[in-house]
Amino acid sequence: MSKILVLNGPNLNMQGAREPEVYGTMALPQIQSIISARAQELKIEVEFFQSNHEGALIDCIQQHMGSTEGIIINPGALTHYSFALRDALAAANIPTIEVHLSNIYAREHFRHRSVIAPVSRGHIAGLDWRGYVLALEALAEIIQAEHSNEGQI
């Protein structure tokens, strides 16, 4: 069974209560429940981790190298400046999809740049909790395609 790591960065523990007009009203545990249900349908194991600390997210990525086949990450504000998080994802060399609940390109100018995007397979922004499910489905297909190609020359 394939395993996907779902990482959430700073302030996502406040999801549902923090600026609901921007980020929506669904709390992170509810979002995780939806992801888990879809993962079960896809026969994929998911593991969740949230931290307000950059180093904890990096440690988590490094600890899962070799044991996970995909990463869904909502880096929160770390999106825009965390070269350390970007480097950890690049070093892990695991297919990664960056997700944002809000459309970062329709917000303040400083949010328009992602240092994570260049090391991600894809980027989903502005679809609220649905972005996580779309990322999960995309990673499931990516993993399946990579497994299919392993035995081919």
Side-chain angles (χ1 to χ4, degrees), residues 24-86:
T25 57
M26 192 176 294
L28 190 57
Q30 292 173 288
I31 294 170
Q32 291 172 339
S33 180
I34 292 169
I35 296 167
S36 291
R38 183 64 180 127
Q40 189 172 16
E41 293 170 357
L42 294 169
K43 296 179 177 38
I44 292 175
E45 180 184 348
V46 288
E47 183 173 331
F48 300 100
F49 182 76
Q50 186 280 325
S51 181
N52 293 320
H53 305 282
E54 179 181 37
L57 293 164
I58 293 166
D59 289 343
C60 186
I61 292 166
Q62 292 174 355
Q63 289 164 1
H64 285 83
M65 289 173 63
S67 67
T68 191
E69 295 182 76
I71 297 174
I72 298 169
I73 186 167
N74 183 340
L78 296 173
T79 300
H80 316 294
Y81 68 85
S82 180
F83 294 104
L85 184 57
R86 178 240 177 258

Side-chain angles (χ1 to χ4, degrees), residues 98-146:
E98 179 181 354
V99 172
H100 295 281
L101 295 161
S102 68
N103 181 353
I104 62 174
Y105 303 103
R107 299 185 60 204
E108 303 91 341
H109 189 265
F110 74 89
R111 295 185 195 275
H112 296 186
R113 180 170 180 257
S114 168
V115 300
I116 306 300
V119 297
S120 298
R121 291 276 184 103
H123 183 100
I124 301 170
L127 299 178
D128 201 357
W129 58 268
R130 293 166 195 86
Y132 288 95
V133 175
L134 293 171
L136 177 70
E137 292 170 348
L139 278 175
E141 290 183 19
I142 289 167
I143 292 165
Q144 182 179 15
E146 288 182 354

